[in-house]
Amino acid sequence: MKPVIYIISTPLSLRDYRRYGIEELQNKNVDVDIVDISSLIYPDKYKGNNVRSCDFCNVSYVSKVQDLDLFINQRRVDHVYITIGFLPKRILFKLMKKGSKVAVQMWGPIPLAHVGTHRFISRIKKPIVITKKIMTKLYEQVKYGNIEYDYYLSVDEVKNKQNILCHSYDYYLHLLDANNVKNQSNSNSSVVFLDQMLPYHPDFSLSGIKNTINSRSYYQKLNDYFSFVENKLKVRVVIAAHPRSIGVENYSELFQGRDVIIGMTNQLISEALFTITHYSTAINYSVINNKKIVYLLSSELISIGMKNQLELMAFETDSEIVNIDITDGFYQGNNNNNNNKYKEYKKKYITQRCDDITNGQIIINELLVNN
């Protein structure tokens, strides 16, 4: 069996360690190395101590091009590289130069609404940085041409590519946790909010987009709505906290004493009456567990240009939208989820496979053994 080297461009969390398939491969005695190049890709954000060390597995950290070259030259040609998402072409070229095979593990597809050009431009926080990134990509296109990955690990087939169909990360984790998660279809003890930590989400700064959400106003509206639901339906609202919220000081206090739980989203949804969200991709768990979804709109969501995205996701799942700026628009719990819509959504965005083979085993069978 061929050894594997994972190339990651953001610091590895325990959640990533599981959902990327690294833990499963190591448990099945696959020789796996992990290389963190986040300091090389995002030097302004990840410098020295800003890249947290990993305390649950061995990770090699590379911050200079010369160090990456040295690492590659010390590895055998038969290693298979798996990159998490697409890397700059200059990095991909280095990985392929020695003759090793390279696969890209793609994020699962999501419904993606069009954002108007004028709105996008108005949200740009650092136009010089954005321009520099565009120029870098153009330069790499000229220098390296149409260099391509050897394999695409994806939920849906990429046209004219060598595809290996995998499950979405959420469905993969659902399979891994199948013995611990039981769908409580008749449960009515809780409603789950799929938190996105919108006022603090790091992707805004990474992408150079200005975050205009007022934290105080945003959380006050959320808590008012949660209180309404709790009083009206005689249930408790539980917060399925965003995984990265662990880095925000006193984050749980923002939800006025409600249970704030990290790392148990699938379990929480399986036991819930329904789920509440803005446009979180964790609705995959709602679809998998056949739970109703209510989408929350507010002026804060409109201010960051996500109204179209929210409306598209509601359409794709045939679900209700509630504007929490309007007090008489609160959800009454009357809509029924459309099973046909959920089946379509699952096939488009969660998995197209007809089996429940785990992603780690798929990688072994179709990438490490048969290629």
Side-chain angles (χ1 to χ4, degrees), residues 177 180-182 184 264-272 289:
D177 295 335
N180 300 321
V181 176
K182 296 180 180 179
Q184 306 291 329
M264 293 182 60
T265 302
N266 191 27
Q267 177 72 43
L268 292 173
I269 291 176
S270 74
E271 299 171 352
N289 289 291

Side-chain angles (χ1 to χ4, degrees), residues 161-180:
K161 308 298 180 185
Q162 184 69 37
N163 294 283
I164 296 177
L165 286 182
C166 295
H167 308 294
S168 68
Y169 288 145
D170 291 334
Y171 194 72
Y172 172 47
L173 292 177
H174 174 76
L175 293 177
L176 293 179
D177 295 335
N179 292 332
N180 300 321

Side-chain angles (χ1 to χ4, degrees), residues 81-99:
Y81 289 96
I82 298 179
T83 74
I84 305 302
F86 293 98
L87 295 179
K89 288 195 173 186
R90 69 184 189 279
I91 305 297
L92 178 59
F93 178 79
K94 290 180 179 296
L95 299 181
M96 303 186 78
K97 184 169 62 173
K98 195 174 178 180

Side-chain angles (χ1 to χ4, degrees), residues 318-334:
D318 193 28
S319 300
E320 184 175 352
I321 298 175
V322 170
N323 188 335
I324 57 176
D325 292 332
I326 305 172
T327 55
D328 61 357
F330 286 128
Y331 170 65
Q332 300 295 318
N334 297 322

Side-chain angles (χ1 to χ4, degrees), residues 201-218:
H201 203 293
D203 282 357
F204 285 104
S205 59
L206 278 178
S207 60
I209 302 299
K210 185 178 181 180
N211 187 345
T212 59
I213 292 180
N214 181 291
S215 174
R216 184 174 181 178
S217 171
Y218 170 75

